[in-house]
Amino acid sequence: MQQRTFGPTGRQVPVIGQGTWNMERDDRALAVAALRRGLDLGMTHVDTAELYGDGEVEELVGEAIAGRRHEVFLVSKVLPDNASRRGTVAACDRSLARLRTDHLDLYLLHWPGRHPLADTFAGFAELARAGKILAWGLSNFDERELAAAVAAAAAGEVGQVACNQLFYHLEERAIEHAAIPACEERGIAVVAYSPFGSGRFPRRESRGGRVLAEIAAAHDATPRQVALAFLLRLPSLFAIPKASRPEHVAENAAAADLVLGPDELRRIDQAFPRGRRRPGVPTI
Ligand code: NAP
């Protein structure tokens, strides 16, 4: 599994990780097996959140990584409504208990909310001092919100923003206009969530679907692998597809080895145009 330096953390993190949203709806044993298969294949970046299944998914992840915690780059997220200073610390403690671990590799603010960032960041700093989080980051922040967060972080003692987790797939490329460049110029990692459009992957018979299928055939690959390789063409990018079936996990992991040529990248770019710049960042 190809790895990249994850923003300012200096950590080597696999370019393709594993999402877990809605996993509480899946067959539990199969989902646990899928996550473990992903770890076997080097997809050690595991993304979860207190939101998912109202804590149930963190418990499932805890089961999946039991005995293998040291292999995992474990990420969870605090809900904005919980993100006061004390609330952030308390939410993280609850997540750690459900995940059966004493620390997270990365803790994210799930989206911008009502609590002042300075308070949330004071909570992150307290958690870091206690060794409960090794790094922290953001999710769903547009370029203006990111600039404000970077300024708030610089005014405190929390250290640097490690990443911004953003909605990014072939049919939703809006973050390429400003949100990705804002991260890149600050050395912040970009984590693409819902890289398959969260279940709305282009159909084979659509124009774009045909382009993906043709390129896939030339590489003995699949359209989803081509899609992931396209999203990962930028050096700041990581992706966290969710899959509860071990065979899906294996297909996704193999995408890390696929390198697309300039003509192929151009064809995909034309088939899935990034569209006009819009205010804010898209969310799901
Ligand atoms: P996604 O990864 O775009 O798509 C997941 C869907 O694709 C599932 O139905 C899955 O099926 C299917 N799938 C995966 N690999 C496949 C394959 N190789 N072949 C066929 N189908 C495949 O959707 P997502 O769950 O919305 O996004 C990924 C992760 O990003 C989430 O799980 C979550 O961790 C994170 N996320 C973060 C935010 C945020 O606000 N920060 C928001 C949304 C998502 P099976 O499960 O049946 O395998």
Coordinates of all heavy atoms in Angstrom, one line a residue, residues 19-21 26 47 52 77 110 139-140 165 193-199 224 240-245 248 251-252 284, ligand 1:
G19 N -13.5 4.0 5.5 CA -14.5 4.8 6.1 C -15.5 3.8 6.9 O -15.4 2.6 6.6
T20 N -16.3 4.3 7.8 CA -17.2 3.5 8.6 C -18.6 4.0 8.7 O -19.4 3.4 9.5 CB -16.6 3.2 10.0 OG1 -16.5 4.5 10.6 CG2 -15.2 2.6 9.9
W21 N -18.9 5.1 8.0 CA -20.3 5.7 8.2 C -21.3 4.6 7.8 O -21.2 3.9 6.8 CB -20.4 6.9 7.3 CG -21.6 7.7 7.5 CD1 -22.3 7.9 8.6 CD2 -22.2 8.5 6.4 NE1 -23.4 8.7 8.4 CE2 -23.4 9.1 7.1 CE3 -22.0 8.8 5.1 CZ2 -24.2 10.0 6.4 CZ3 -22.8 9.7 4.4 CH2 -23.9 10.3 5.0
D26 N -25.0 -2.6 8.6 CA -24.5 -3.7 7.8 C -24.4 -5.0 8.7 O -24.5 -4.9 9.9 CB -23.1 -3.4 7.2 CG -23.1 -2.3 6.2 OD1 -24.1 -2.2 5.5 OD2 -22.2 -1.5 6.2
D47 N -11.3 5.6 9.6 CA -12.0 6.8 9.9 C -13.4 6.5 10.6 O -14.2 5.8 10.0 CB -12.3 7.6 8.7 CG -13.0 8.9 8.9 OD1 -12.4 9.8 9.4 OD2 -14.3 8.9 8.7
Y52 N -21.5 8.3 14.2 CA -21.9 7.1 13.4 C -22.6 6.1 14.3 O -22.0 5.5 15.2 CB -20.7 6.5 12.7 CG -20.0 7.5 11.7 CD1 -18.7 7.2 11.2 CD2 -20.6 8.7 11.3 CE1 -18.1 8.1 10.3 CE2 -20.0 9.6 10.5 CZ -18.7 9.2 10.0 OH -18.1 10.1 9.1
K77 N -14.1 11.7 15.4 CA -14.5 13.1 15.2 C -15.5 13.5 16.3 O -16.3 12.7 16.7 CB -15.3 13.3 13.9 CG -14.6 12.7 12.7 CD -15.3 13.0 11.4 CE -14.8 12.2 10.3 NZ -15.4 10.8 10.3
H110 N -16.0 17.7 13.4 CA -16.7 17.2 12.3 C -17.2 18.2 11.3 O -17.2 17.9 10.1 CB -17.9 16.4 12.8 CG -18.3 15.2 12.0 ND1 -18.8 14.0 12.5 CD2 -18.3 15.0 10.6 CE1 -19.0 13.2 11.5 NE2 -18.8 13.7 10.4
S139 N -12.9 19.1 9.5 CA -13.7 18.5 8.4 C -14.8 19.5 8.0 O -15.3 20.2 8.8 CB -14.3 17.2 8.9 OG -15.0 16.6 7.8
N140 N -15.0 19.5 6.7 CA -16.0 20.4 6.1 C -15.8 21.9 6.3 O -16.7 22.6 6.4 CB -17.4 20.0 6.6 CG -17.8 18.5 6.3 OD1 -17.8 18.2 5.1 ND2 -18.0 17.7 7.3
Q165 N -10.9 17.2 6.2 CA -11.6 16.0 5.5 C -12.8 16.6 4.7 O -13.7 17.3 5.3 CB -12.1 15.0 6.6 CG -12.5 13.7 6.0 CD -13.0 12.7 7.0 OE1 -14.1 12.4 7.0 NE2 -12.1 12.2 7.8
Y193 N -13.6 12.3 1.5 CA -14.7 11.4 2.0 C -15.7 11.2 0.9 O -15.8 12.0 0.0 CB -15.3 11.9 3.4 CG -16.2 13.0 3.4 CD1 -17.5 13.0 2.9 CD2 -15.9 14.2 4.1 CE1 -18.4 14.0 3.0 CE2 -16.8 15.3 4.2 CZ -18.1 15.2 3.6 OH -18.9 16.2 3.7
S194 N -16.5 10.1 1.1 CA -17.4 9.6 0.1 C -16.8 9.6 -1.3 O -17.4 10.1 -2.3 CB -18.7 10.5 0.1 OG -19.3 10.6 1.4
P195 N -15.7 9.0 -1.5 CA -15.0 9.0 -2.8 C -15.7 8.3 -3.9 O -15.4 8.5 -5.1 CB -13.6 8.4 -2.5 CG -13.9 7.5 -1.4 CD -14.9 8.2 -0.5
F196 N -16.7 7.5 -3.5 CA -17.6 6.9 -4.6 C -19.0 7.5 -4.6 O -20.0 6.9 -5.1 CB -17.8 5.4 -4.3 CG -16.5 4.6 -4.3 CD1 -16.3 3.5 -3.4 CD2 -15.5 4.8 -5.3 CE1 -15.1 2.8 -3.5 CE2 -14.4 4.1 -5.3 CZ -14.2 3.0 -4.4
G197 N -19.0 8.8 -4.1 CA -20.3 9.5 -4.1 C -21.3 8.9 -3.1 O -22.5 9.1 -3.3
S198 N -20.8 8.1 -2.1 CA -21.6 7.5 -1.1 C -22.8 6.7 -1.7 O -23.9 6.8 -1.4 CB -22.2 8.6 -0.2 OG -22.5 8.1 1.1
G199 N -22.4 5.8 -2.6 CA -23.4 4.9 -3.1 C -23.9 5.3 -4.5 O -24.8 4.6 -5.1
R224 N -14.0 1.7 -10.3 CA -13.8 2.3 -9.0 C -12.4 2.5 -8.7 O -12.0 3.5 -8.1 CB -14.5 1.4 -7.9 CG -16.0 1.6 -7.9 CD -16.6 0.6 -6.9 NE -18.0 0.6 -7.0 CZ -18.9 1.3 -6.4 NH1 -18.5 2.1 -5.5 NH2 -20.2 1.2 -6.7
I240 N -10.9 7.8 1.8 CA -11.4 6.8 2.8 C -12.7 6.2 2.3 O -13.7 6.4 2.9 CB -11.5 7.5 4.2 CG1 -12.2 8.8 4.1 CG2 -10.2 7.6 4.8 CD1 -12.7 9.4 5.4
P241 N -12.6 5.3 1.3 CA -13.9 4.7 0.9 C -14.4 3.7 2.0 O -13.6 3.2 2.8 CB -13.4 3.8 -0.3 CG -12.0 3.6 -0.2 CD -11.5 4.9 0.5
K242 N -15.7 3.6 2.1 CA -16.3 2.7 3.1 C -16.7 1.4 2.3 O -17.3 1.5 1.3 CB -17.5 3.4 3.7 CG -18.3 2.5 4.7 CD -19.5 1.9 4.1 CE -20.2 0.9 4.9 NZ -21.3 0.2 4.2
A243 N -16.4 0.3 2.9 CA -16.8 -1.0 2.3 C -17.0 -2.0 3.4 O -16.1 -2.2 4.3 CB -15.8 -1.5 1.3
S244 N -18.2 -2.6 3.4 CA -18.5 -3.6 4.5 C -18.3 -5.0 3.9 O -18.7 -6.0 4.6 CB -19.9 -3.4 5.0 OG -19.9 -2.3 5.9
R245 N -17.9 -5.1 2.7 CA -17.7 -6.4 2.1 C -16.2 -6.6 1.8 O -15.6 -5.8 1.1 CB -18.4 -6.6 0.7 CG -19.9 -6.6 0.9 CD -20.6 -6.3 -0.4 NE -22.0 -5.9 -0.2 CZ -23.0 -6.8 -0.1 NH1 -22.8 -8.0 -0.3 NH2 -24.2 -6.3 0.2
H248 N -15.0 -6.0 -1.6 CA -14.9 -4.5 -2.0 C -13.6 -3.9 -1.4 O -13.0 -3.1 -2.1 CB -16.1 -3.8 -1.4 CG -17.4 -4.1 -2.2 ND1 -18.6 -3.7 -1.7 CD2 -17.6 -4.8 -3.3 CE1 -19.6 -4.1 -2.5 NE2 -19.0 -4.8 -3.5
E251 N -10.7 -4.8 -3.6 CA -10.7 -4.0 -4.8 C -10.2 -2.6 -4.6 O -9.4 -2.1 -5.4 CB -12.1 -4.0 -5.4 CG -12.2 -3.2 -6.7 CD -13.7 -3.1 -7.2 OE1 -14.5 -4.0 -6.8 OE2 -13.9 -2.2 -8.0
N252 N -10.7 -2.0 -3.5 CA -10.3 -0.6 -3.2 C -8.8 -0.5 -2.9 O -8.1 0.4 -3.4 CB -11.1 -0.1 -2.1 CG -12.6 -0.1 -2.4 OD1 -13.0 -0.2 -3.6 ND2 -13.5 0.1 -1.4
I284 N -22.3 16.3 2.3 CA -23.3 15.2 2.0 C -24.5 15.3 2.9 O -24.3 15.8 4.1 CB -22.6 13.9 2.1 CG1 -23.6 12.8 1.5 CG2 -22.2 13.5 3.4 CD1 -22.9 11.6 0.9
Ligands
NAP1 P1 -18.4 5.9 -0.2 O1 -17.1 5.4 0.4 O2 -18.3 6.9 -1.3 O3 -19.3 4.7 -0.7 C1 -19.6 3.7 0.1 C2 -20.5 2.7 -0.7 O4 -19.8 2.1 -1.8 C3 -21.0 1.5 0.1 O5 -22.3 1.2 -0.3 C4 -20.1 0.4 -0.3 O6 -20.7 -0.9 -0.2 C5 -19.8 0.7 -1.7 N1 -18.5 0.2 -2.2 C6 -17.3 0.4 -1.6 N2 -16.3 -0.2 -2.3 C7 -17.0 -0.8 -3.3 C8 -16.5 -1.6 -4.4 N3 -15.2 -1.9 -4.5 N4 -17.4 -2.1 -5.3 C9 -18.7 -1.8 -5.1 N5 -19.2 -1.1 -4.1 C10 -18.3 -0.6 -3.2 O7 -19.3 6.5 0.9 P2 -19.3 7.1 2.4 O8 -19.4 6.0 3.3 O9 -20.2 8.2 2.4 O10 -17.8 7.8 2.5 C11 -16.7 7.1 3.0 C12 -16.3 7.5 4.4 O11 -16.0 8.9 4.5 C13 -17.5 7.3 5.4 O12 -17.7 6.0 5.7 C14 -17.0 8.1 6.6 O13 -16.0 7.4 7.3 C15 -16.4 9.3 5.8 N6 -17.3 10.5 5.7 C16 -17.0 11.6 6.4 C17 -17.9 12.7 6.4 C18 -17.6 14.0 7.1 O14 -18.5 14.8 7.2 N7 -16.4 14.1 7.5 C19 -19.1 12.6 5.6 C20 -19.4 11.4 5.0 C21 -18.5 10.4 5.0 P3 -20.4 -2.0 0.9 O15 -20.4 -1.3 2.2 O16 -21.6 -2.9 0.8 O17 -19.1 -2.7 0.7

